Amino acid sequence: MSENDSIPARQESVARAASRFGADHRETLQARNLLGFALHRAGRLDEAERELRAAKDDCTRALGATDSETLFSQSLLAYLLLDSGNVREAAHQQQALVEASVTALGEHDPVTLGRRVNHGVMLHHLGRRETAERQQRST
């Protein structure tokens, strides 16, 4: 099954979760993140960006800025922005993700460290090599 073929099923999952649990429930928000990811993988970047931005905002509002689902949403958005060529905003989203991860998980958590490495890679793509190197060395 291609990513395009999975999108109707993902949309149905969002509709079912919203109907059963409500729009702000974790299950619904998770289904929306997965829909955004599927849209991204299918190359439907504009739709994916709209869905992931809205899902991230709703996760932040409903679950809090440091909740695992919110962090997952922000990570998906950062990678979408990178793939869309919006490296500057992707790096900004990644930096905010690192900061929220430090708060939620701690500075030395493996997930936080991985996100710091990814942020360094984005800085490198922006041509900020010295900052990227400092980021990588501090990790």
Side-chain angles (χ1 to χ4, degrees), residues 4-57:
N4 261 324
D5 294 338
S6 75
I7 291 170
R10 295 281 183 205
Q11 291 168 326
E12 180 63 26
S13 292
V14 171
R16 282 189 196 156
S19 174
R20 183 170 181 197
F21 303 114
D24 290 340
H25 191 275
R26 179 177 299 281
E27 294 291 325
T28 305
L29 296 168
Q30 183 179 54
R32 290 180 60 202
N33 278 331
L34 294 175
L35 170 60
F37 181 68
L39 289 165
H40 179 186
R41 298 270 307 186
R44 295 165 61 174
L45 301 183
D46 290 340
E47 292 173 81
E49 184 174 343
R50 281 191 303 275
E51 184 62 41
L52 290 173
R53 282 187 189 280
K56 178 187 158 277
D57 291 346

Side-chain angles (χ1 to χ4, degrees), residues 17-94:
S19 174
R20 183 170 181 197
F21 303 114
D24 290 340
H25 191 275
R26 179 177 299 281
E27 294 291 325
T28 305
L29 296 168
Q30 183 179 54
R32 290 180 60 202
N33 278 331
L34 294 175
L35 170 60
F37 181 68
L39 289 165
H40 179 186
R41 298 270 307 186
R44 295 165 61 174
L45 301 183
D46 290 340
E47 292 173 81
E49 184 174 343
R50 281 191 303 275
E51 184 62 41
L52 290 173
R53 282 187 189 280
K56 178 187 158 277
D57 291 346
D58 291 345
C59 283
T60 301
R61 180 183 43 74
L63 304 173
T66 59
D67 183 83
S68 62
E69 196 63 38
T70 304
L71 298 177
F72 179 59
S73 186
Q74 189 161 8
S75 177
L76 292 174
L77 178 60
Y79 286 110
L80 169 77
L81 292 167
L82 182 62
D83 285 350
S84 298
N86 190 346
V87 180
R88 230 175 256 298
E89 188 180 356
H92 172 74
Q93 289 290 335
Q94 192 72 30

